[in-house]
Amino acid sequence: MKVPFLSLERQTARYSDELRTAVERVLASGRYIGGEEVARFEDEFAAYCGVRFAVGVASGTDAITIALQALGVGPGDEVVTAANTCVPTVTGIESAGAVAVLADADRRTGTLDPETLADALTERTAAIVPVHLYGQCADLDPILALARKRGCYVVEDCAQAHGACYGGERAGSIGHAAAFSFYPTKNLGAVGDAGAVVTSDPEVAGRARLLRNYGEDRRFHHTIGGWNSRLDPIQAAILGAKLPHLDGWNERRRAIASAYDAALRHSPVEAPVDAWGSHVYHLYVVQAPDRERFRGALAERGVETDVHYPLPVHRQPVYSALGEGRDLSVSEALAERIVSIPLHAELTDDEVAWVAEGLSAA
Ligand SMILES: *Cc1c(COP(=O)(O)O)cnc(C)c1O
């Protein structure tokens, strides 16, 4: 059997009627920027996250930039994030004009390690961007405690964690603001680029609204410099149609993860740790001592795997300076061991069984 890593077309086909109705509604409306479709999705998504405001933007990367700028973070400031995140977290920080500083990952969960974070904070640290990597919240209590002590902000990177919780609270509702991506592969995905800033602070939400729309506060009147980074109504309509299904998809992801966990029980390959009991498995990432052999065995069964991410940020040619003088050895070690196994809500039971059998044999 062939199990591709992703099959996005299956979700589109399964919900085709709802998605087409949503897109047709936008086409018929004559309103192709902003308007009711965007406002409605923003309200529904804010309610889902347990925050007062969601501000739709053009991508998750822009959401990071705009969340930081809306908090007043910019040139001269440092922003600390995880060395093992995907590069757009750093792109978003740099676009805000701030300097990215990398801290190391926790060996078990792969999320930001609060201890190495403490070492990365300086007088210039204006914000911490913990990344809820693979679908699980970073350990936010100690991170928030450090931020309080230092007087800096916490902006959650929720691009992989729609619906995950920490201490019973939804990802995105815990820091001062949060950034979501609706890139098509994410747990809640558009059919193109899309993102959102969420926050319960009305001033931050208000500034994010200006920043996404050239800094315009009323028609042809600009109070701050900004961007063109809007969530378009077609994507908003698609996302609004998908949002009611998100919890069901996440449950399905968790059920598949337990099947994989069981298959790995006696294996030298380590299953991911669900530290807060609410991992939403954007990615199911195992740690394999002999990665090439393990991936080869799965490939022979037709099971496609991937690596997220093969290089920590500071090993990327453009970001090598970010590693100077820092101990990021856990991120480096993890990059050699991690393997992502196919896991999404549209996998069939037969495919799950096939992959699980492959995991227990590999
Ligand atoms: C996907 C992702 C982003 C970037 O989102 P885009 O919508 O592609 O700009 C940022 N951070 C993390 C952790 C991501 O997974």
Side-chain angles (χ1 to χ4, degrees):
M1 189 187 288
K2 282 239 174 305
V3 184
F5 191 72
L6 284 168
S7 322
L8 295 181
E9 69 290 352
R10 288 189 195 173
Q11 188 182 79
T12 309
R14 183 165 161 205
Y15 299 94
S16 166
D17 288 347
E18 292 166 53
L19 300 181
R20 273 164 211 280
T21 304
V23 172
E24 295 284 350
R25 203 171 56 232
V26 177
L27 293 179
S29 75
R31 182 77 196 246
Y32 305 134
I33 293 285
E36 204 182 297
E37 291 289 343
V38 174
R40 187 177 336 120
F41 172 69
E42 287 175 337
D43 288 347
E44 289 167 358
F45 192 65
Y48 179 85
C49 293
V51 296
R52 289 179 64 196
F53 308 102
V55 180
V57 297
S59 71
T61 307
D62 283 3
I64 292 168
T65 304
I66 289 174
L68 289 168
Q69 291 186 318
L71 286 162
V73 178
D77 293 329
E78 291 179 355
V79 175
V80 184
T81 193
N84 62 332
T85 188
C86 61
V87 162
T89 310
V90 172
T91 312
I93 292 168
E94 293 197 328
S95 294
V99 173
V101 174
L102 301 178
D104 213 358
D106 175 83
R107 149 86 180 75
R108 282 169 65 245
T109 60
T111 56
L112 188 59
D113 171 28
E115 272 174 41
T116 75
L117 170 63
D119 297 336
L121 300 174
T122 74
E123 294 290 290
R124 292 167 64 202
T125 308
I128 302 165
V129 179
V131 182
H132 302 331
L133 201 65
Y134 308 145
Q136 157 160 265
C137 287
D139 191 2
L140 287 169
D141 280 341
I143 294 171
L144 286 163
L146 280 170
R148 255 191 309 272
K149 208 164 88 188
R150 293 290 188 141
C152 67
Y153 295 114
V154 172
V155 174
E156 300 170 64
D157 182 343
C158 298
Q160 305 190 353
H162 317 68
C165 290
Y166 178 85
E169 316 236 29
R170 278 263 158 86
S173 70
I174 303 162
H176 299 91
F180 281 89
S181 165
F182 306 113
Y183 185 86
T185 61
K186 309 284 165 143
N187 291 35
L188 178 63
V191 294
D193 278 309
V197 174
V198 306
T199 181
S200 287
D201 184 328
E203 280 179 31
V204 174
R207 267 196 301 276
R209 289 214 166 85
L210 301 189
L211 284 162
R212 73 171 167 183
N213 193 41
Y214 336 113
E216 189 177 64
D217 66 341
R218 61 189 141 82
R219 194 154 183 260
F220 301 142
H221 189 264
H222 302 257
T223 47
I224 57 173
W227 309 93
N228 173 349
S229 179
R230 297 175 294 239
L231 171 63
D232 84 66
I234 289 193
Q235 300 304 342
I238 292 266
L239 292 165
K242 287 187 175 190
L243 182 59
H245 302 293
L246 176 58
D247 284 340
W249 294 335
N250 282 344
E251 266 170 50
R252 171 75 177 152
R253 284 175 183 268
R254 287 180 57 80
I256 298 170
S258 341
Y260 292 175
D261 288 349
L264 288 170
R265 198 150 293 145
H266 303 293
S267 168
V269 174
E270 290 174 53
V273 175
D274 179 8
W276 327 117
S278 130
H279 202 314
V280 294
Y281 297 99
H282 170 60
L283 294 166
Y284 186 89
V285 177
V286 302
Q287 296 185 37
D290 185 350
R291 178 162 72 187
E292 284 327 296
R293 204 198 53 74
F294 175 70
R295 292 190 78 187
L298 287 169
E300 249 166 60
R301 274 177 81 78
V303 176
E304 189 184 8
T305 59
D306 205 342
V307 175
H308 298 88
Y309 300 90
L311 292 177
V313 173
H314 61 289
R315 294 289 182 201
Q316 295 289 350
V318 62
Y319 292 122
S320 58
L322 300 188
E324 280 165 23
R326 310 215 79 89
D327 177 7
L328 302 168
S329 50
V330 175
S331 296
E332 284 162 18
L334 284 173
E336 304 287 320
R337 293 164 56 87
I338 48 177
V339 184
S340 307
I341 309 300
L343 193 161
H344 56 82
E346 263 68 45
L347 282 180
T348 66
D349 291 346
D350 284 350
E351 287 170 328
V352 173
W354 183 258
V355 175
E357 221 174 278
L359 290 176
S360 50

